Amino acid sequence: MNVRHLTFRLLQVYVAVVRSGSVSDAARQLHLTQPTVSQQLKRLSEAVESRCW
């Protein structure tokens, strides 16, 4: 995956995690499961070629 695969939703999930400080809290806010949020963070990480997750 590369930067061309970034979506608004991936960025929205990232912002929710940063603001809430928790993957679980972000999942609740976005009406998603915690594994889904974790998977989205992984996709975002791959898109920007970052290994910080």
Side-chain angles (χ1 to χ4, degrees):
M1 182 178 270
N2 61 35
V3 177
R4 287 181 277 165
H5 293 108
L6 283 177
T7 64
F8 177 75
R9 186 62 170 174
L10 289 177
L11 297 175
Q12 186 179 35
V13 167
Y14 175 75
V15 168
V17 171
V18 170
R19 286 185 176 166
S20 70
S22 164
V23 172
S24 296
D25 288 344
R28 278 191 287 279
Q29 291 172 12
L30 298 169
H31 305 286
L32 299 170
T33 64
Q34 185 274 332
T36 299
V37 172
S38 294
Q39 183 180 38
Q40 296 296 323
L41 290 175
K42 182 179 178 190
R43 289 182 65 208
L44 178 62
S45 174
E46 290 168 356
V48 296
E49 299 178 358
S50 172
R51 304 290 183 221
C52 62
W53 305 117

